[in-house]
Amino acid sequence: MLVHPQFNPVALDLSPIGVPLAIHWYGITYLVGFGLFLYLANRRIRQPQFAATGWTRRDVEDLLFYGVVGTVIGGRLGYVLFYKAGYYLQHPLEVFAVWKGGMAFHGGLLGVLVAMALFARSRKRHFLEVSDLVAPCVPTGFAAGRIGNFINGELWGRPADPSLPWAMVFPQAGEPSVPRHPSQLYQFALEGMLLFVLLWLYARKPRAMGQVSGAFLFGYGVLRFVAEYFRQPDSFLEPQPLGLSRGQWLCVPMILAGIALWLWARRRAAAAPTAQPA
């Protein structure tokens, strides 16, 4: 049975040399995620279906800026509304205390969707063209974030059989003798690396506009739904219907939306008139 190493969340503390700055591992993982997005998106715009419509490196950089803003605002508001609405209703000023933590993926996703819509409008591009470009470039950012969760020893898993070779005790959980699933690493592998590989391979060939986005919604929803069986639900949440977690219920509309979008895109492409040779 393993024990979480309890890493120092501060990767580099400059205060001993008179600089009031501490660089956290979690911040580094965010930077890694953004850097991977730039690299992958710049590879995507060189693919024929995007190169033909004039995408540039400047577009990718601007899109990243929109996405960062959408992630931060949407992730924070999602946490406030989806998970602790009652608390923040009583303490409204703490909504802005982002340094205390509290971000929600599903809220971040909604924020990114709004940001992409604004970007698409500013560039006079179809929203689904933008989302199809972005979708395969996102899971590596999820993977980086989950490594940050593991380093911080947060979002630990449910209790596990002590005979499980990688069962891990998280002293931060307040139960130092209870082995748990290292669910952060499960999510790194599933909704991070596995989803990236599947989407990247799927998106290498030209697809009907909207199909890559639909595949992303479906794939993330399914893989996150599975991972939630191993992740310990937040203690402040009430039991959810059917024994599912709040995260699983939030994945259901993603899965359904992904299926609907993929089927709609396929029908739309099939119904489009094809050019006849002269």
Side-chain angles (χ1 to χ4, degrees), residues 118-158:
L118 293 173
F119 174 86
R121 182 177 179 181
S122 72
R123 295 298 196 277
K124 296 181 171 56
R125 293 185 180 275
H126 196 291
F127 171 78
L128 291 177
E129 178 188 356
V130 178
S131 62
D132 282 351
L133 168 71
V134 167
C137 310
V138 171
T140 52
F142 298 159
R146 294 309 176 192
I147 292 298
N149 294 146
F150 181 75
I151 290 173
N152 284 351
E154 60 191 9
L155 305 182
W156 48 77
R158 299 174 191 256

Side-chain angles (χ1 to χ4, degrees), residues 4-205:
H4 184 266
Q6 294 186 279
F7 300 100
N8 185 342
V10 177
L12 181 62
D13 184 2
L14 301 179
S15 60
I17 61 173
V19 180
L21 177 65
I23 300 174
H24 290 71
W25 285 111
Y26 203 61
I28 292 175
T29 62
Y30 264 75
L31 289 177
V32 169
F34 297 149
L36 287 171
F37 174 86
L38 278 176
Y39 171 73
L40 294 171
N42 277 303
R43 288 193 61 183
R44 284 279 284 160
I45 63 173
R46 293 198 294 269
Q47 295 175 346
Q49 65 269 36
F50 296 107
T53 56
W55 281 86
T56 67
R57 184 180 180 87
R58 176 64 182 272
D59 290 328
V60 171
E61 293 170 352
D62 290 347
L63 184 55
L64 175 62
F65 173 77
Y66 276 78
V68 169
V69 174
T71 298
V72 173
I73 296 177
R76 182 59 175 172
L77 291 180
Y79 181 79
V80 169
L81 297 174
F82 297 154
Y83 291 92
K84 300 184 75 173
Y87 174 84
Y88 287 105
L89 189 62
Q90 298 177 24
H91 307 85
L93 293 180
E94 291 201 25
V95 171
F96 304 99
V98 294
W99 56 88
K100 294 184 178 181
M103 299 281 282
F105 164 79
H106 297 88
L109 175 63
L110 293 175
V112 168
L113 291 177
V114 172
M116 287 194 302
L118 293 173
F119 174 86
R121 182 177 179 181
S122 72
R123 295 298 196 277
K124 296 181 171 56
R125 293 185 180 275
H126 196 291
F127 171 78
L128 291 177
E129 178 188 356
V130 178
S131 62
D132 282 351
L133 168 71
V134 167
C137 310
V138 171
T140 52
F142 298 159
R146 294 309 176 192
I147 292 298
N149 294 146
F150 181 75
I151 290 173
N152 284 351
E154 60 191 9
L155 305 182
W156 48 77
R158 299 174 191 256
D161 188 326
S163 64
L164 186 70
W166 54 85
M168 181 172 290
V169 170
F170 287 86
Q172 304 92 324
E175 298 174 296
S177 62
V178 177
R180 297 178 178 274
H181 291 280
S183 57
Q184 314 97 323
L185 301 183
Y186 296 179
Q187 291 185 264
F188 163 82
L190 291 175
E191 67 203 44
M193 301 313 300
L194 177 60
L195 182 60
F196 164 69
V197 170
L198 294 176
L199 276 179
W200 192 262
L201 293 176
Y202 178 73
R204 287 176 65 182
K205 295 182 179 180

